[in-house]
Amino acid sequence: AATITAQACVTHGGGEQASQCQVPHVDFDVSGLPCTDNSRAKRGRELEEGPTGPLFAIWALRYRRYRIPLGILENTPDLRVDVIHSLLGDLYNLHPILVDMDHCGHGGASRKRVYVIVVASKTQTKCLVDPITLYRALVEELHQRQTSLDCTTAPGDYLTADPMEIQLDAMEVARSSGKEFRSNCKSLDYLLTEREAKVVAELSHEYQSRYQRDPQTDEHLCVLLGDNPQWARTWSAVSGKVPTFRRNAAGKFWYPAHQRFLTSCEKHLASCSCF
């Protein structure tokens, strides 16, 4: 569907009978292409040579054929911008901007991304200010204000759910793990699997040894239960940030001080980029 000029359209087909309508012209394109082969979380990643590589070529081909004047491509920071330049450099100017959530006050979370602004050549557009320079200036201004007002987040700030939402989320965890839901238990440690309880115990021992304090007194300590602490301590103790959510790891986050998980809604708040 990358370069066709018409697609099936139910709106103008009269009921369920679809007709062929022209694909509308695009003035501004925003694309988030698969980051699987660019992510450091993938073992043996192949970057542009991986299975998702052809999608980038098709994406670029659409730009070339439709002459889209302005666009943004989102991906992980390891995206090979030089490859994108080899596909579009003769027709477009590229402005890669590296961003993270702490650039706008979310210091308690991390989700690094690159946004490549794709701009048609000088014959179609006029650059009023360099986007990278402008972005850096904005980040610096925001950081100065955050420092003076002390208004950046910490991992515990993402615990925004009310008691009802916490219990509803606990019911879902109990259902999926085959455990009995206990409505009278404020602590949800009974929902930890045997392996997860072992992860919490090992990291709690490591925290106690390293910082000489009970981990349950640290309201901002957050642990990702999907990794084996023998080879990776995925927690907020060192970075001060909620561990980055990964699709290839169990997505359950545990707060020892609060004795509960990060709920599904809270997880989206803490792991999704706000740009």
Side-chain angles (χ1 to χ4, degrees):
T3 59
I4 61 175
T5 58
Q7 286 184 312
C9 176
V10 177
T11 301
H12 301 106
E16 297 182 358
Q17 184 65 32
S19 65
Q20 293 292 314
C21 286
Q22 293 294 312
V23 175
H25 174 74
V26 175
D27 293 306
F28 180 46
D29 173 83
V30 180
S31 299
L33 298 183
C35 62
T36 311
D37 293 305
N38 296 317
S39 175
R40 296 184 182 184
K42 180 181 179 180
R43 292 186 178 181
R45 60 177 180 165
E46 301 175 85
L47 301 173
E48 69 275 4
E49 299 296 335
T52 62
L55 290 176
F56 288 82
I58 294 172
W59 166 84
L61 180 61
R62 183 167 174 269
Y63 267 75
R64 299 186 71 88
R65 290 192 173 177
Y66 284 96
R67 291 297 193 269
I68 299 171
L70 180 64
I72 296 177
L73 171 63
E74 177 269 342
N75 215 265
T76 58
D78 288 342
L79 172 71
R80 291 274 305 276
V81 179
D82 59 321
V83 174
I84 305 300
H85 188 271
S86 69
L87 296 171
L88 292 174
D90 58 326
L91 296 176
Y92 290 86
N93 296 320
L94 305 179
H95 304 275
I97 299 179
L98 295 173
V99 304
D100 201 353
M101 293 181 74
D102 66 357
H103 291 178
C104 63
H106 283 268
S110 177
R111 191 169 178 81
K112 294 181 179 180
R113 284 294 182 269
V114 62
Y115 289 82
V116 183
I117 301 178
V118 184
V119 186
S121 61
K122 297 178 181 179
T123 58
Q124 290 182 265
T125 61
K126 179 180 180 181
C127 184
L128 301 178
V129 62
D130 177 62
I132 299 176
T133 302
L134 176 61
Y135 182 79
R136 289 174 179 170
L138 289 171
V139 169
E140 179 61 28
E141 176 66 21
L142 286 171
H143 275 178
Q144 290 180 7
R145 297 193 179 201
Q146 290 163 25
T147 301
S148 62
L149 298 174
D150 191 23
C151 59
T152 187
T153 63
D157 295 327
Y158 296 100
L159 297 175
T160 59
D162 58 29
M164 177 64 74
E165 182 183 335
I166 295 171
Q167 290 299 310
L168 288 173
D169 198 76
M171 288 178 63
E172 178 59 27
V173 173
R175 184 198 64 78
S176 61
S177 61
K179 292 179 177 288
E180 180 182 356
F181 172 66
R182 306 174 188 174
S183 60
N184 61 333
C185 287
K186 185 176 181 180
S187 172
L188 302 183
D189 60 352
Y190 72 92
L191 291 175
L192 294 169
T193 65
E194 183 178 349
R195 188 197 66 78
E196 291 170 345
K198 184 178 180 181
V199 171
V200 172
E202 289 186 23
L203 290 178
S204 295
H205 178 74
E206 173 64 23
Y207 186 95
Q208 180 77 46
S209 300
R210 182 178 296 192
Y211 300 105
Q212 300 300 306
R213 59 180 292 201
D214 185 347
Q216 293 194 22
T217 63
D218 185 351
E219 64 177 348
H220 295 300
L221 179 61
C222 177
V223 175
L224 176 62
L225 300 175
D227 289 338
N228 183 347
Q230 295 297 322
W231 63 269
R233 299 185 184 95
T234 314
W235 59 356
S236 63
V238 178
S239 67
K241 301 175 184 293
V242 176
T244 301
F245 174 70
R246 307 195 314 272
R247 295 184 62 183
N248 65 336
K252 291 164 75 175
F253 296 82
W254 178 256
Y255 282 77
H258 302 271
Q259 290 290 287
R260 74 172 182 88
F261 305 100
L262 200 65
T263 69
S264 299
C265 291
E266 291 170 335
K267 185 167 65 177
H268 287 303
L269 174 65
S271 65
C272 292
S273 179
C274 48
F275 296 95

